[in-house]
Amino acid sequence: MTKITRVSLASPPDGGWGWMIVAGCFLVTICTRAVTRCISIFFVEFQTYFAQDYSQTAWIHSIVDCMTMLCAPLGSVVSNQLSCQAGIMLGGLLASTGFILGSFATSLKHLYLSLGVLTGLGFALCYSPAIAMVGKYFSRRKALAYGIAMSGSGIGTFILAPVVQLLIEQFSWRGALLILGGFVLNLCVCGALMRPITLKEDRSVPEKNHNRKSQREDCKQASPYSPLTKECTETRLCCSLQQEYGFLLMSDFVVLAVSVLFMAYGCSPLFVYLVPYALSVGVSHHQAAFLMSILGVIDIVGNITFGWLTDRRCLKNYRYVCYLFAVALDGLCYLCLPMLQTFPLLVPFSCTFGYFDGAYVTLIPVVTAEIVGTTSLSSALGVVYFLHAVPYLVSPPIAGWLVDTTGSYTAAFLLCGFAMVFSSVLLGFARIVKRMKRTQVPFPVKASDPKLQLWTNGSVAYSVARELDQKDEKPLPKARSGCNLT
């Protein structure tokens, strides 16, 4: 078995092989997120062939998205325990197998298992480890690197949307799924590019690692059935989980996690129902597919330009605010969508929504890294994408149920829009409250030092600790003289 070469550096190289990591992550996002978006093009075909309603057919896209995000922590665990390369290659094989088996499906349930569960699991093993690897290779130009890497989703959608439509027309939906299964095998090539790297932060706790090594040696010497072996195994597991998932107790991360739930609920249904909505208002099939292409190419512009802009000095400290701004504007676009019922009006919608969708998707790993640091980034991204799972699973079927019940897309789009706006407002309110708490106590005082008293007058603080010390020292000579007299 070949040994994986691990590069050891004090700080992220911000270039060099890092650009190959960006290229690999770029291809991973094409093969995972772009292909997932293009599954919505099969929506009408599946609905017609299996004679099912909107909500039943929407479960296919929901299960793929749900499994991709639900199993994201599993992808982080596999990459941490084995290697990022092995995890992505395994994921590529599973995803390709799901597409190939889906091409032989005879019912929607078969597609739920093959195209939904198996392909989603394969995508989960690839997506979060590839994104986390970019964060390890870049620091100063992190937002730009993520912008380029995440733009694969938009570029892939722009190219694959018309190609998939053409494949369906030429080879039927079965042949198109079979060809996509071969295309997804390129994930194995992407995994080969992910060279592991060890940073200074990863070696910041040598004592803990030394203790773990000694514990492992003790466990090896003991019998596999002894209580010592069981105790050592449990201790190692607890220490590993505490180190990898200690960020779950951080208040900033908890607020981010809650807001992600609402944001994820809002962002998913559009990629399922944009094409059916366009067809329902009289847009042709090719124009509806072209709307997805526009969404994809503008997504690219949002990925790269927003990443480049937030790396500038004037905006580098305001990435959090930029993220809120992008999510809120996507929500406002949703609220306007029911009023847009012609192709010339849907084009600017696709441009605006696609740009800000690419913007906030780029900043998700950047904002997460600012909160938890690069050492726990892989595990934190696994949790963040895991939180996308339930909203991705339930939002398209709920939107489909609203369409079946009301006979229009208005209620579904309004619910998604309000969810994204609430996500942005929640994060903004939490940041304001945190800043208010900081301004209330601008000068920290140690409770163990009763002599230190601070009076604030505007921005000036006066310390009287020395005066108190002098007053305490004055009675000491009298006490000494009293002792001498006795």
Side-chain angles (χ1 to χ4, degrees):
M1 184 175 179
T2 59
K3 186 177 180 181
I4 298 174
T5 304
R6 184 178 292 270
V7 181
S8 180
L9 295 173
S11 60
D14 270 308
W17 190 260
W19 294 117
M20 295 301 296
I21 300 296
V22 170
C25 187
F26 175 85
L27 294 175
V28 167
T29 54
I30 289 178
C31 294
T32 56
R33 303 312 300 158
V35 169
T36 301
R37 289 180 178 181
C38 290
I39 291 177
S40 63
I41 299 175
F42 291 88
F43 189 93
V44 177
E45 300 294 329
F46 292 152
Q47 190 179 21
T48 304
Y49 186 86
F50 296 108
Q52 297 291 336
D53 57 13
Y54 277 90
S55 59
Q56 293 294 323
T57 310
W59 278 106
I60 301 172
H61 189 280
S62 298
I63 293 173
V64 176
D65 261 342
C66 177
M67 288 299 298
T68 302
M69 302 307 173
L70 186 68
C71 298
L74 178 62
S76 300
V77 170
V78 171
S79 65
N80 291 336
Q81 297 299 321
L82 299 177
S83 70
C84 185
Q85 295 171 325
I88 294 177
M89 289 180 178
L90 177 61
L93 292 174
L94 290 176
S96 177
T97 303
F99 272 103
I100 294 172
L101 292 178
S103 65
F104 298 99
T106 57
S107 68
L108 280 183
K109 292 181 180 179
H110 294 163
L111 288 175
Y112 292 162
L113 293 175
S114 58
L115 190 59
V117 176
L118 193 58
T119 299
L121 177 61
F123 286 166
L125 296 179
C126 302
Y127 190 54
S128 58
I131 294 174
M133 188 63 72
V134 175
K136 285 185 171 291
Y137 270 84
F138 287 87
S139 176
R140 184 170 52 88
R141 291 180 284 189
K142 182 178 291 185
L144 176 61
Y146 271 125
I148 297 172
M150 305 296 283
S151 66
S153 177
I155 293 176
T157 305
F158 175 72
I159 297 174
L160 289 178
V163 170
V164 168
Q165 182 65 41
L166 183 62
L167 290 175
I168 293 174
E169 294 175 357
Q170 296 293 325
F171 304 103
S172 79
W173 63 267
R174 294 185 185 276
L177 286 180
L178 191 63
I179 294 172
L180 284 178
F183 174 75
V184 165
L185 272 176
N186 285 295
L187 286 168
C188 297
V189 180
C190 302
L193 297 174
M194 301 295 169
R195 180 189 297 172
I197 184 173
T198 302
L199 301 176
K200 187 177 181 180
E201 294 182 23
D202 301 329
R203 303 194 302 266
S204 59
V205 284
E207 294 182 359
K208 292 183 179 179
N209 295 336
H210 177 72
N211 292 335
R212 289 179 187 174
K213 289 181 180 179
S214 61
Q215 289 177 359
R216 289 177 185 174
E217 292 177 358
D218 294 338
C219 292
K220 288 179 180 179
Q221 294 176 0
S223 171
Y225 302 101
S226 67
L228 177 61
T229 304
K230 184 178 180 181
E231 183 180 353
C232 290
T233 304
E234 294 176 353
T235 304
R236 276 208 317 271
L237 180 61
C238 292
C239 291
S240 177
L241 291 175
Q242 184 178 3
Q243 183 181 7
E244 291 184 10
Y245 295 98
F247 57 86
L248 292 174
L249 301 178
M250 298 172 60
S251 59
D252 289 344
F253 184 82
V254 172
V255 174
L256 176 66
V258 174
S259 70
V260 162
L261 291 173
F262 291 95
M263 181 271 293
Y265 179 89
C267 69
S268 179
L270 181 76
F271 297 100
V272 181
Y273 292 108
L274 179 60
V275 172
Y277 172 71
L279 293 175
S280 69
V281 295
V283 177
S284 67
H285 283 79
H286 286 285
Q287 287 179 331
F290 186 62
L291 288 175
M292 288 294 293
S293 297
I294 294 174
L295 197 69
V297 72
I298 301 300
D299 194 289
I300 307 164
V301 179
N303 286 140
I304 299 176
T305 58
F306 226 69
W308 179 83
L309 286 173
T310 52
D311 269 342
R312 303 305 95 194
R313 289 185 177 180
C314 57
L315 293 177
K316 200 165 188 177
N317 295 328
Y318 300 98
R319 289 170 174 169
Y320 195 92
V321 178
C322 293
Y323 171 78
L324 302 183
F325 178 75
V327 173
L329 284 180
D330 260 3
L332 293 177
C333 288
Y334 254 125
L335 299 180
C336 298
L337 182 55
M339 297 181 289
L340 311 177
Q341 299 186 359
T342 61
F343 181 72
L345 291 177
L346 289 173
V347 169
F349 165 81
S350 296
C351 293
T352 307
F353 188 93
Y355 182 83
F356 289 107
D357 179 75
Y360 79 75
V361 166
T362 296
L363 292 180
I364 286 176
V366 177
V367 171
T368 306
E370 289 181 356
I371 293 175
V372 304
T374 57
T375 303
S376 303
L377 180 59
S378 179
S379 300
L381 283 177
V383 173
V384 168
Y385 292 129
F386 168 81
L387 294 172
H388 285 67
V390 175
Y392 276 10
L393 178 66
V394 301
S395 58
I398 289 176
W401 176 78
L402 289 173
V403 172
D404 293 333
T405 304
T406 63
S408 70
Y409 291 85
T410 302
F413 290 152
L414 290 180
L415 182 60
C416 294
F418 283 124
M420 298 194 77
V421 170
F422 179 77
S423 172
S424 178
V425 171
L426 177 64
L427 281 176
F429 180 75
R431 177 55 63 95
I432 292 173
V433 170
K434 187 175 181 180
R435 289 196 174 185
M436 289 176 63
K437 289 182 178 180
R438 286 180 180 177
T439 55
Q440 288 177 0
V441 188
F443 301 100
V445 180
K446 292 184 179 179
S448 60
D449 189 2
K451 296 180 181 180
L452 186 59
Q453 302 178 19
L454 298 177
W455 281 266
T456 60
N457 181 13
S459 61
V460 182
Y462 301 95
S463 174
V464 293
R466 293 183 180 179
E467 296 180 6
L468 291 174
D469 289 337
Q470 292 175 1
K471 290 181 180 180
D472 290 340
E473 291 174 358
K474 285 182 180 180
L476 290 177
K478 294 182 180 180
R480 289 176 183 174
S481 61
C483 292
N484 292 333
L485 290 174
T486 56

